[in-house]
Amino acid sequence: MSRRELREQIFKLLFRIEFNSIEEMTEQERLFFEDEDAAQDKDADYILDKYHKIQQKLDEIDAQLNEKAEGWSTVRMSKVDLTILRLAVYEIHYDDSVPTGVAINEAVELAKKFGQDASSGFVNGVLAKFA
């Protein structure tokens, strides 16, 4: 898979956090990879590794989002936008292999694909404060 495709798979797995408890996520991971049968072993390992790293930093990432997103809190954001922002903030602050501009651009593309009409502008505006 390309990096864009991997990022999209991480987004889809991370999105499940919004609807399942932490205890249920192990089962959700298993179900995810049954549904996404195209993921080969090394891709699955990459997806899971990055997902777990983001999951461990969720409280820190949410705190950063709450601080930077003026007039918005993570509680008020759409679940799609929040998931995209979490992934992008993780890449900006904790993943040295992803340049900031790439993280922002990829987040905007995810917002265009999965979000509402205004999602790409919202995501871009919030992430500009992290650049």
Side-chain angles (χ1 to χ4, degrees), residues 56-69:
Q56 291 170 356
K57 300 274 188 195
L58 276 183
D59 290 340
E60 292 174 45
I61 292 169
D62 285 357
Q64 292 173 37
L65 285 168
N66 285 325
E67 179 183 319
K68 300 270 187 184

Side-chain angles (χ1 to χ4, degrees), residues 18-93:
E18 293 303 311
F19 303 98
N20 298 281
S21 68
I22 294 297
E23 295 79 27
E24 295 170 321
M25 283 310 294
T26 301
E27 177 69 9
Q28 287 299 313
E29 292 168 18
R30 186 187 65 73
L31 293 170
F32 176 80
F33 286 106
E34 282 180 9
D35 293 343
E36 302 294 332
D37 52 23
Q40 298 174 349
D41 287 342
K42 72 174 186 148
D43 291 338
D45 290 343
Y46 177 85
I47 292 165
L48 267 178
D49 180 57
K50 193 160 184 174
Y51 159 76
H52 285 130
K53 288 177 180 175
I54 296 168
Q55 186 184 40
Q56 291 170 356
K57 300 274 188 195
L58 276 183
D59 290 340
E60 292 174 45
I61 292 169
D62 285 357
Q64 292 173 37
L65 285 168
N66 285 325
E67 179 183 319
K68 300 270 187 184
E70 294 173 19
W72 286 90
S73 69
T74 54
V75 176
R76 289 188 53 225
M77 294 176 190
S78 82
K79 293 181 184 327
V80 170
D81 294 351
L82 176 59
T83 303
I84 293 167
L85 288 168
R86 284 172 167 169
L87 174 56
V89 170
Y90 174 82
E91 289 184 335
I92 291 168
H93 284 286

